[in-house]
Amino acid sequence: MAQSFAHGNYSHTQKKARGGGGRTGRDQARRTLSQNFVVDPDAVARIVEAVGPHDLVLEPGAGEGVLTRALAETCGQVVGYEVDPLLAGRLAARTRDDARIRVVRGDFLTARAPREPFAVAGNIPYSITSKIVDWCLRAPELTSATLTTQLEYARKRTGDFGRWSMLTVQTWPWYSWELLGHLSREVFRPVPAVDSAILRIERRSQAPDLPGYRAFVDYGFTGLGGSLHATMRLRYPADQVDAAFAAAGVARGAVVAHVHPDLWPLLFDRLHHTG
């Protein structure tokens, strides 16, 4: 969610909190809604550059519209969703004469996905990152999602820790996951406890037909046999598993999370369409 605080000055909120002996109602709302607003112009520019031009962009958590207005400069139509009624009202009033921007007062997660190609972009509430990502992955016409997430989440999903998550592997034949850069916690107000990152999820141009692939990955991540090779030998003939791993170039002792997502479809094809 993006909100403009001149030079990072939000002392009016702090003064109210000190004077009242605690957090203000707005402070509590920001905490409840997981609101940390981008205030650094360079950070906004980096996010917009990562998003790229699109005819239609949906923005979860538009806030007061710093990112919304920046996206409108490069995209045809921006639809900003904001669940906070005060922020939604302010943004709607400020952009009512801008035909490029439409503000929706409501929860992005309840939105119906457009039937035309569209992108999702936003500095999203970190407490519902997984729910927003799941929404994006279910949308048939989504072309890409460029999201500001906690750094740890982005690193986990993109293999930056040297291992791969099950969600990434399950969706890899259809979506690429890329970490496009770090964002210091200092570019947000209030300042969060952790650094952030720009995560890019992009639909691949070719969508393979792999019925049963997701269940195959789910089984592989159970770790029943220790290594992925041993796990697969519990379900498939031993000689077939050996041949599949050799053909895919996967070491027999490889831990499941260390197997690159590119290799999983090869294993799946070998184990399901040979022998």
Side-chain angles (χ1 to χ4, degrees):
M1 298 179 178
Q3 179 167 336
S4 176
F5 293 87
H7 307 294
N9 179 10
Y10 57 110
S11 58
H12 62 287
T13 301
Q14 294 178 318
K15 289 177 181 177
K16 289 181 181 178
R18 287 194 296 266
R23 292 189 178 90
T24 67
R26 293 305 303 156
D27 289 334
Q28 186 60 41
R30 287 173 186 166
R31 186 179 182 88
T32 301
L33 297 174
S34 187
Q35 293 174 330
N36 297 94
F37 305 110
V38 178
V39 298
D40 182 81
D42 290 337
V44 173
R46 288 177 60 195
I47 296 170
V48 172
E49 181 180 8
V51 174
H54 298 277
D55 292 336
L56 175 61
V57 174
L58 272 56
E59 181 192 6
E64 287 191 347
V66 169
L67 184 57
T68 313
R69 291 190 289 269
L71 288 170
E73 295 298 323
T74 60
C75 300
Q77 180 78 35
V78 180
V79 182
Y81 288 81
E82 178 52 59
V83 71
D84 186 322
L86 180 59
L87 293 179
R90 288 176 177 172
L91 180 57
R94 291 172 179 173
T95 60
R96 62 187 172 210
D97 295 327
D98 192 334
R100 303 169 302 177
I101 297 173
R102 181 165 67 91
V103 179
V104 177
R105 305 185 189 190
D107 188 349
F108 170 80
L109 294 174
T110 66
R112 180 177 299 178
R115 296 182 179 180
E116 61 187 283
F118 73 100
V120 170
N123 172 32
I124 62 177
Y126 294 164
S127 61
I128 56 172
T129 296
S130 294
K131 292 181 179 180
I132 290 177
V133 169
D134 288 344
W135 187 99
C136 292
L137 295 175
R138 291 195 306 269
E141 297 299 328
L142 178 87
T143 59
S144 66
T146 307
L147 309 170
T148 299
T149 72
Q150 289 186 0
L151 176 59
E152 182 178 4
Y153 180 90
R155 295 189 67 190
K156 177 181 178 182
R157 295 299 184 216
T158 59
D160 198 53
F161 285 123
R163 55 187 185 272
W164 300 90
S165 71
M166 185 172 72
L167 178 62
T168 308
V169 175
Q170 283 185 321
T171 59
W172 193 258
W174 302 277
Y175 295 94
S176 64
W177 298 70
E178 187 177 4
L179 175 61
L180 295 183
H182 298 185
L183 293 172
S184 167
R185 67 194 73 182
E186 298 300 328
V187 306
F188 298 91
R189 292 294 183 274
V191 178
V194 296
D195 288 339
S196 301
I198 302 172
L199 172 66
R200 171 85 169 188
I201 306 169
E202 186 166 359
R203 186 184 297 274
R204 300 188 189 277
S205 57
Q206 300 294 326
D209 184 20
L210 296 174
Y213 173 79
R214 294 174 189 264
F216 173 77
V217 174
D218 185 66
Y219 173 73
F221 269 81
T222 61
L224 294 175
S227 68
L228 179 59
H229 180 270
T231 299
M232 291 304 175
R233 283 179 62 136
L234 295 175
R235 172 170 287 189
Y236 302 95
D239 59 343
Q240 190 176 344
V241 173
D242 293 347
F245 273 68
V250 180
R252 294 190 180 189
V255 177
V256 59
H258 292 170
V259 178
H260 194 282
D262 282 342
L263 303 179
W264 282 81
L266 300 177
L267 291 174
F268 175 79
D269 183 70
R270 286 280 179 167
L271 292 174
H272 285 258
H273 298 98
T274 61

Short mmCIF file of all heavy atoms in Angstrom, two decimals, residues 3 41 57 60 66 72 79-80 111-112 136 138 145 161 166 180 191 195 197 236 239 255 262-263 272:
data_model
loop_
_atom_site.label_atom_id
_atom_site.label_comp_id
_atom_site.label_asym_id
_atom_site.label_seq_id
_atom_site.Cartn_x
_atom_site.Cartn_y
_atom_site.Cartn_z
N GLN A 3 1.50 5.31 0.44
CA GLN A 3 0.96 6.54 0.99
C GLN A 3 2.06 7.58 1.01
O GLN A 3 3.22 7.27 1.24
CB GLN A 3 0.43 6.32 2.42
CG GLN A 3 -0.11 7.61 3.05
CD GLN A 3 -0.90 7.34 4.29
OE1 GLN A 3 -1.42 6.26 4.46
NE2 GLN A 3 -0.97 8.29 5.16
N PRO A 41 10.67 7.93 -3.37
CA PRO A 41 10.38 8.01 -4.81
C PRO A 41 11.19 7.04 -5.66
O PRO A 41 10.68 6.50 -6.65
CB PRO A 41 10.73 9.46 -5.16
CG PRO A 41 10.64 10.20 -3.86
CD PRO A 41 11.08 9.22 -2.81
N VAL A 57 -4.10 -3.02 -15.06
CA VAL A 57 -3.39 -3.43 -13.85
C VAL A 57 -4.34 -3.35 -12.67
O VAL A 57 -5.03 -2.33 -12.48
CB VAL A 57 -2.16 -2.54 -13.57
CG1 VAL A 57 -1.52 -2.91 -12.24
CG2 VAL A 57 -1.14 -2.69 -14.69
N PRO A 60 -3.64 -4.36 -5.44
CA PRO A 60 -4.13 -4.64 -4.10
C PRO A 60 -3.54 -3.66 -3.10
O PRO A 60 -2.32 -3.45 -3.06
CB PRO A 60 -3.62 -6.07 -3.81
CG PRO A 60 -3.06 -6.57 -5.10
CD PRO A 60 -2.68 -5.37 -5.89
N VAL A 66 0.22 6.62 -4.05
CA VAL A 66 1.53 6.98 -4.60
C VAL A 66 1.89 6.03 -5.74
O VAL A 66 2.25 6.45 -6.84
CB VAL A 66 2.62 6.95 -3.51
CG1 VAL A 66 4.01 7.06 -4.13
CG2 VAL A 66 2.40 8.08 -2.52
N ALA A 72 -0.20 4.57 -13.30
CA ALA A 72 -1.07 5.15 -14.33
C ALA A 72 -0.27 5.88 -15.41
O ALA A 72 -0.77 6.08 -16.52
CB ALA A 72 -2.07 6.11 -13.69
N VAL A 79 -6.75 -0.22 -11.61
CA VAL A 79 -7.86 -0.39 -10.69
C VAL A 79 -7.28 -0.66 -9.30
O VAL A 79 -6.68 -1.70 -9.06
CB VAL A 79 -8.78 -1.56 -11.11
CG1 VAL A 79 -9.96 -1.67 -10.14
CG2 VAL A 79 -9.28 -1.37 -12.53
N GLY A 80 -7.42 0.33 -8.42
CA GLY A 80 -6.85 0.22 -7.09
C GLY A 80 -7.87 -0.25 -6.08
O GLY A 80 -8.95 0.35 -5.95
N ALA A 111 -12.37 -9.79 -5.17
CA ALA A 111 -12.56 -9.29 -6.54
C ALA A 111 -12.68 -10.44 -7.53
O ALA A 111 -12.04 -11.48 -7.37
CB ALA A 111 -11.40 -8.38 -6.94
N ARG A 112 -13.49 -10.23 -8.55
CA ARG A 112 -13.59 -11.18 -9.64
C ARG A 112 -12.51 -10.86 -10.67
O ARG A 112 -12.36 -9.72 -11.11
CB ARG A 112 -14.97 -11.11 -10.29
CG ARG A 112 -15.18 -12.07 -11.45
CD ARG A 112 -16.59 -12.00 -11.98
NE ARG A 112 -17.57 -12.37 -10.96
CZ ARG A 112 -18.88 -12.34 -11.15
NH1 ARG A 112 -19.37 -11.92 -12.32
NH2 ARG A 112 -19.70 -12.71 -10.17
N CYS A 136 -3.81 -14.69 -7.45
CA CYS A 136 -3.18 -14.43 -8.75
C CYS A 136 -2.99 -15.72 -9.55
O CYS A 136 -3.26 -15.76 -10.76
CB CYS A 136 -1.83 -13.74 -8.54
SG CYS A 136 -1.93 -12.05 -7.89
N ARG A 138 -4.68 -18.35 -9.49
CA ARG A 138 -5.96 -18.94 -9.92
C ARG A 138 -6.61 -18.15 -11.06
O ARG A 138 -7.59 -18.63 -11.64
CB ARG A 138 -6.94 -19.01 -8.74
CG ARG A 138 -6.56 -20.01 -7.66
CD ARG A 138 -7.75 -20.27 -6.75
NE ARG A 138 -8.30 -19.04 -6.19
CZ ARG A 138 -7.94 -18.51 -5.03
NH1 ARG A 138 -7.00 -19.11 -4.31
NH2 ARG A 138 -8.50 -17.39 -4.59
N ALA A 145 2.35 -10.89 -12.00
CA ALA A 145 2.10 -10.24 -10.71
C ALA A 145 3.44 -9.74 -10.19
O ALA A 145 4.39 -10.53 -10.05
CB ALA A 145 1.47 -11.20 -9.71
N PHE A 161 17.55 -18.99 -1.49
CA PHE A 161 18.20 -19.64 -0.35
C PHE A 161 18.97 -20.89 -0.78
O PHE A 161 19.56 -21.58 0.06
CB PHE A 161 17.17 -20.02 0.72
CG PHE A 161 16.65 -18.85 1.52
CD1 PHE A 161 15.30 -18.59 1.57
CD2 PHE A 161 17.50 -18.04 2.24
CE1 PHE A 161 14.79 -17.52 2.32
CE2 PHE A 161 17.02 -16.97 2.99
CZ PHE A 161 15.67 -16.72 3.02
N MET A 166 7.65 -25.89 -2.36
CA MET A 166 6.73 -26.75 -3.09
C MET A 166 5.83 -25.93 -4.02
O MET A 166 5.56 -26.35 -5.15
CB MET A 166 5.86 -27.56 -2.12
CG MET A 166 4.95 -28.55 -2.83
SD MET A 166 4.09 -29.68 -1.72
CE MET A 166 2.90 -28.55 -0.96
N LEU A 180 13.51 -9.50 -8.08
CA LEU A 180 14.01 -8.38 -8.88
C LEU A 180 14.75 -7.32 -8.08
O LEU A 180 15.10 -6.28 -8.62
CB LEU A 180 12.85 -7.73 -9.64
CG LEU A 180 12.18 -8.62 -10.69
CD1 LEU A 180 11.10 -7.85 -11.42
CD2 LEU A 180 13.21 -9.15 -11.69
N VAL A 191 8.11 2.15 9.61
CA VAL A 191 9.22 1.29 9.24
C VAL A 191 8.94 -0.12 9.75
O VAL A 191 8.77 -0.32 10.95
CB VAL A 191 10.55 1.80 9.83
CG1 VAL A 191 11.69 0.87 9.46
CG2 VAL A 191 10.83 3.22 9.34
N ASP A 195 13.31 -6.23 6.01
CA ASP A 195 13.46 -5.68 4.67
C ASP A 195 12.48 -6.37 3.71
O ASP A 195 11.90 -7.40 4.02
CB ASP A 195 14.89 -5.88 4.17
CG ASP A 195 15.88 -4.97 4.88
OD1 ASP A 195 15.44 -3.94 5.44
OD2 ASP A 195 17.08 -5.29 4.88
N ALA A 197 11.28 -7.00 -0.72
CA ALA A 197 11.81 -7.31 -2.04
C ALA A 197 10.72 -7.15 -3.07
O ALA A 197 9.52 -7.12 -2.75
CB ALA A 197 12.37 -8.74 -2.08
N TYR A 236 6.90 -45.95 -7.30
CA TYR A 236 7.13 -46.39 -8.69
C TYR A 236 8.16 -47.52 -8.69
O TYR A 236 8.95 -47.66 -7.75
CB TYR A 236 7.64 -45.22 -9.53
CG TYR A 236 6.71 -44.04 -9.57
CD1 TYR A 236 6.88 -42.97 -8.68
CD2 TYR A 236 5.66 -43.97 -10.48
CE1 TYR A 236 6.03 -41.87 -8.72
CE2 TYR A 236 4.80 -42.88 -10.52
CZ TYR A 236 4.99 -41.85 -9.63
OH TYR A 236 4.14 -40.77 -9.66
N ASP A 239 13.50 -49.75 -11.01
CA ASP A 239 14.29 -49.55 -12.22
C ASP A 239 13.81 -48.35 -13.03
O ASP A 239 14.60 -47.64 -13.66
CB ASP A 239 14.28 -50.82 -13.08
CG ASP A 239 12.87 -51.23 -13.50
OD1 ASP A 239 11.90 -50.76 -12.88
OD2 ASP A 239 12.75 -52.05 -14.44
N VAL A 255 18.29 -33.97 -1.91
CA VAL A 255 17.17 -33.61 -1.04
C VAL A 255 16.10 -32.92 -1.89
O VAL A 255 16.42 -32.16 -2.81
CB VAL A 255 17.64 -32.68 0.09
CG1 VAL A 255 16.46 -32.23 0.96
CG2 VAL A 255 18.69 -33.37 0.94
N ASP A 262 13.13 -26.98 -12.95
CA ASP A 262 13.19 -27.40 -14.35
C ASP A 262 13.22 -28.92 -14.50
O ASP A 262 12.82 -29.46 -15.54
CB ASP A 262 14.45 -26.83 -15.02
CG ASP A 262 14.32 -25.36 -15.39
OD1 ASP A 262 13.17 -24.86 -15.45
OD2 ASP A 262 15.35 -24.71 -15.62
N LEU A 263 13.71 -29.61 -13.47
CA LEU A 263 13.91 -31.05 -13.58
C LEU A 263 12.67 -31.87 -13.19
O LEU A 263 12.55 -33.03 -13.58
CB LEU A 263 15.09 -31.48 -12.69
CG LEU A 263 16.42 -30.77 -13.01
CD1 LEU A 263 17.51 -31.25 -12.06
CD2 LEU A 263 16.82 -31.01 -14.46
N HIS A 272 5.70 -41.28 -15.76
CA HIS A 272 4.30 -41.45 -16.12
C HIS A 272 4.08 -41.85 -17.57
O HIS A 272 2.96 -42.23 -17.93
CB HIS A 272 3.52 -40.16 -15.83
CG HIS A 272 3.27 -39.95 -14.38
ND1 HIS A 272 2.06 -40.22 -13.79
CD2 HIS A 272 4.09 -39.53 -13.38
CE1 HIS A 272 2.12 -39.96 -12.50
NE2 HIS A 272 3.35 -39.53 -12.22
#
